[in-house]
Amino acid sequence: MRFQLLGLLSIADGEHAAVLQPSKPTSLLAALLIHSGAVVSTDYLVRAVWDTDPPVTARAALQSCVLRLRRVFAKYGIANDTIEAVPGGYRMRMDRDTLDLVRFRQLVRSADTADDPETRSLVLREALGLWHGPVLANVSSQMLHRDEAPRLTEERLRALERLCDIELARGRCREVLADVWDAARQHPGRERFAEQLIEALYRTGRQTEALAEIRAVKERLKEEFGIDPGGSLQRLEVAILRGEDLAAAPGGPGPAVGAFPALEAGSAPRAALPAGTAGTAGTAVAPGRFPLAAPAATAPAPAPLAVAPVPCFSGRTAQLAALRRALTAAEPVGGPVVISGAPGVGKTALALHAAHLAREAFPGGCFALALTHADGSPLDAAEVLDRLPPPDGAGRRLLVLDDAVSAEQLRPLLPDPSEGVAVVTSRRGLAGLAATHGGVVHRLGTLTPDESHQLLISTVGAGRIAAEPEAARELADLCGHFPLSLRIAAARLLTRPGLGIGDCAAWLAADLPARLSLADEPTRSVPHVFDAALRRLSPQLREAFLTLATERADGGPADGAPASPVPDEVLEQLADAGFIEEGPPKPYRIHELLRVYARRRAASAPRSPVGALTAPG
């Protein structure tokens, strides 16, 4: 014989259950079962039975209710002392075999200690299977419905969230879709269920439906509460728009609430980079997850994660082949592999994709770690070394060290060639590092027109691009063939299915580069990324760049490679920082998108005379 509290309050005998009718004894029994094993005070029980209107003889009436319950118990062979009268109140001692609530809680706790995700999933499903309807549905006590039912329901919803997290992490998106669909509809106030539904839809190839769900959530929150969705849902939307792979690494936890990292300015997903580092908004944590606020810029970061493939990667065929040869050659690379270039040009994407393709050559593992804080300030070498996992003796390993600031920062981090190799990304050329450590250097330019076209196809879809091929090429030209700006334009097209590519290009052209931005994540805009890169330069270099972008030596309008009074050493430093390019063999050139950005920036800032520029010491 057992009591069932998780749904209609009833007494079960094998396969049969007697549902109790709403009454004062039923309310009393519910209050005792909810607090199984504890002494429940007489005052509490009086409030549970009569709410705010107890009779003058409430204590005597309570004893009468206890007697009535004992008579009911006798009909089912339940011992008379199941309800104990103790000083100050009453108590019922239940265990997992006599009360479903106790069994539910024990199963949920045991899921925490299970050795594998499959076992955790099975245990949680067994626990949730004990629920057979809304809790206390046949209990009339207003107090219990107000104070206890929400708490019990919360326990169930937390368990359901955990189960869905585990199933998503296992890649069982289709199997869990019905669960999260029902949960999201029945509990629209819980954004986590909406996030799980959106993730399941996206990972089963239903991107349009996933985006429609996001829009519906945003509209409901705006209409009902006048607020925007939480940061975790916003990051999930960005990840979907940019084609990020949300699947978990084998054996690891799946994507988590608040755990959809923002994409690095060069269009690479930062899924392999830990929280607290540049360009990230969080990292995957255990189920039950989703920190709602991004970590502070200087917050400690966890150990780096294994390198994951880059979704929708296209182009860079020659560079990718060269990198794979360097990383998988029988003779180990004697120094770092450096990938440098302008901000937003796709350095991190290339590094992560090459590392993923070469992973089998590194039995010690492939790991990625950003070398800057969220504000762009560099991490000390000691901080990075603390975050790197120690070698485990399994063999050589591959480290992706992202967004390096200087050679000095990198030198203490480079592994011995016998232990592994580092792939370094930086806006700087790191010539000093090449001089002392050798290695391989790849200077990355913008995409070719064909590569830009292919990137748009891979993100927006072949059919839509084929319908307006010339407009697509015009759009790529407007974006300067930067992967960052191309992905932002693609995201706009994806979220506006009725928007023509030509219309999108015309809208962007009216206000470049300001319109190369995401409304819900302005920190990923082209101006923001370029601003952040410009802030890393000295004041002299910033002024020199603005001068080169807006003036010619003769004072005429800039049109191509400027012949400039800026000292050669300053030009060299600007080229090294990725803001200008050295043409074959000269003069220096500026990417058109950077030029447009600089003109807009210069128009709103006070200027110093060109002759005042000096090379920083």
Side-chain angles (χ1 to χ4, degrees):
M1 186 63 62
R2 59 180 295 152
F3 295 95
Q4 293 179 341
L5 182 65
L6 305 180
L8 292 170
L9 180 55
S10 57
I11 301 175
D13 180 7
E15 296 180 357
H16 305 285
V19 177
L20 303 180
Q21 296 300 311
S23 64
K24 290 178 173 55
T26 300
S27 295
L28 170 63
L29 177 60
L32 290 170
L33 291 175
I34 288 171
H35 299 283
S36 169
V39 175
V40 185
S41 71
T42 301
D43 289 341
Y44 178 90
L45 292 174
V46 167
R47 293 197 305 273
V49 174
W50 285 281
D51 295 304
T52 58
D53 189 26
V56 176
T57 59
R59 291 178 179 269
L62 190 64
Q63 293 176 353
S64 176
C65 288
V66 171
L67 292 175
R68 290 171 62 187
L69 280 178
R70 285 174 173 162
R71 286 197 292 270
V72 173
F73 290 174
K75 292 170 56 178
Y76 295 96
I78 300 174
N80 193 55
D81 60 357
T82 300
I83 299 180
E84 303 175 61
V86 295
Y90 294 88
R91 175 173 58 198
M92 290 184 69
R93 300 178 187 270
M94 297 287 103
D95 57 28
R96 61 178 292 150
D97 294 324
T98 55
L99 179 61
D100 55 0
L101 177 60
V102 175
R103 179 168 177 78
F104 169 79
R105 288 171 171 168
Q106 288 185 357
L107 287 170
V108 170
R109 286 195 297 269
S110 68
D112 293 333
T113 59
D115 294 333
D116 60 274
E118 183 177 3
T119 301
R120 288 196 293 272
S121 175
L122 291 173
V123 171
L124 287 172
R125 285 198 180 276
E126 181 182 354
L128 290 166
L130 296 172
W131 289 75
H132 48 95
V135 68
L136 307 181
N138 58 329
V139 175
S140 58
S141 170
Q142 295 179 18
M143 189 201 83
L144 293 181
H145 279 283
R146 182 184 66 246
D147 298 341
E148 301 295 350
R151 180 173 58 84
L152 295 173
T153 301
E154 178 64 22
E155 290 186 51
R156 174 184 174 272
L157 295 180
R158 285 204 303 267
L160 180 57
E161 284 180 356
R162 289 179 57 196
L163 172 64
C164 295
D165 283 337
I166 292 169
E167 295 292 70
L168 288 172
R170 295 174 65 200
R172 294 172 54 84
C173 301
R174 295 186 188 280
E175 291 82 354
V176 81
L177 189 54
D179 292 331
V180 294
W181 194 291
D182 289 342
R185 296 296 182 263
Q186 293 173 14
H187 306 280
R190 296 181 74 95
E191 282 189 38
R192 180 59 193 130
F193 285 135
E195 290 159 354
Q196 290 173 328
L197 172 59
I198 291 161
E199 180 182 340
L201 287 169
Y202 174 65
R203 290 175 61 187
T204 52
R206 298 161 68 174
Q207 182 184 34
T208 302
E209 293 177 69
L211 292 172
E213 285 292 326
I214 292 174
R215 286 194 296 272
V217 172
K218 293 167 76 172
E219 290 171 1
R220 183 182 62 80
L221 291 175
K222 183 65 70 175
E223 290 175 2
E224 295 183 16
F225 305 104
I227 61 173
D228 293 322
S232 54
L233 184 59
Q234 294 181 34
R235 289 189 287 273
L236 174 56
E237 180 180 20
V238 172
I240 292 173
L241 291 175
R242 298 182 179 181
E244 184 177 350
D245 184 2
L246 303 184
V257 175
F260 295 96
L263 300 189
E264 192 267 341
S267 81
R270 299 296 287 268
L273 306 180
T277 55
T280 63
T283 190
V285 293
R289 44 214 171 117
F290 274 66
L292 296 182
T298 57
L305 302 179
V307 171
V310 177
C312 299
F313 187 90
S314 62
R316 308 294 191 196
T317 304
Q319 296 97 327
L320 191 60
L323 285 168
R324 292 187 68 181
R325 287 194 299 270
L327 295 176
T328 59
E331 193 68 27
V333 176
V337 176
V338 176
I339 304 173
S340 63
V345 83
K347 302 179 292 295
T348 304
L350 178 61
L352 292 177
H353 201 62
H356 176 72
L357 294 177
R359 66 192 183 281
E360 293 183 0
F362 296 92
C366 300
F367 305 96
L369 182 69
L371 301 187
T372 52
H373 293 292
D375 62 357
S377 60
L379 274 71
D380 293 335
E383 290 182 89
V384 181
L385 289 171
D386 286 343
R387 296 171 186 180
L388 285 173
D392 59 6
R396 297 177 74 238
R397 62 181 183 169
L398 176 62
L399 304 179
V400 177
L401 303 177
D402 187 53
D403 201 18
V405 173
S406 66
E408 290 78 9
Q409 180 192 32
L410 281 165
R411 289 190 178 101
L413 307 177
L414 299 180
D416 184 273
S418 63
E419 296 178 350
V421 64
V423 176
V424 176
T425 73
S426 178
R427 293 167 190 166
R428 298 192 172 277
L430 302 177
L433 188 70
T436 58
H437 286 72
V440 177
V441 179
H442 292 273
R443 187 68 176 179
L444 211 58
T446 55
L447 297 175
T448 67
D450 286 344
E451 288 174 330
S452 296
H453 197 72
Q454 187 58 45
L455 177 57
L456 289 174
I457 290 174
S458 66
T459 52
V460 178
R464 200 164 172 189
I465 299 300
E468 297 182 78
E470 293 306 317
R473 296 193 183 279
E474 179 188 354
L475 179 63
D477 290 340
L478 279 171
C479 292
H481 303 284
F482 277 80
L484 168 65
S485 52
L486 286 165
R487 285 189 178 269
I488 290 173
R492 184 169 188 81
L493 290 168
L494 283 172
T495 56
R496 293 164 175 80
L499 178 63
I501 297 175
D503 293 335
C504 179
W507 182 82
L508 292 174
D511 192 11
L512 277 176
R515 289 182 174 177
L516 284 170
S517 62
L518 298 171
D520 57 350
E521 195 159 356
T523 58
R524 303 301 155 197
S525 70
V526 167
H528 181 91
V529 170
F530 286 174
D531 280 347
L534 199 64
R535 283 195 297 270
R536 287 198 195 178
L537 301 181
S538 67
Q540 295 94 336
L541 290 180
R542 286 199 294 269
E543 184 64 31
F545 171 65
L546 297 178
T547 297
L548 290 173
T550 56
E551 299 177 3
R552 274 199 334 224
D554 60 6
D559 56 355
S564 172
V566 176
D568 285 346
E569 58 267 33
V570 176
L571 294 173
E572 285 292 320
Q573 291 181 63
L574 284 173
D576 182 65
F579 279 88
I580 65 175
E581 294 180 311
E582 184 178 355
K586 276 195 177 182
Y588 290 98
R589 298 179 294 113
I590 300 178
H591 291 294
E592 185 58 29
L593 189 62
L594 278 165
R595 182 189 301 283
V596 173
Y597 157 78
R599 288 173 176 169
R600 185 183 182 93
R601 173 70 182 261
S604 61
R607 305 294 307 280
S608 300
V610 175
L613 294 170
T614 57

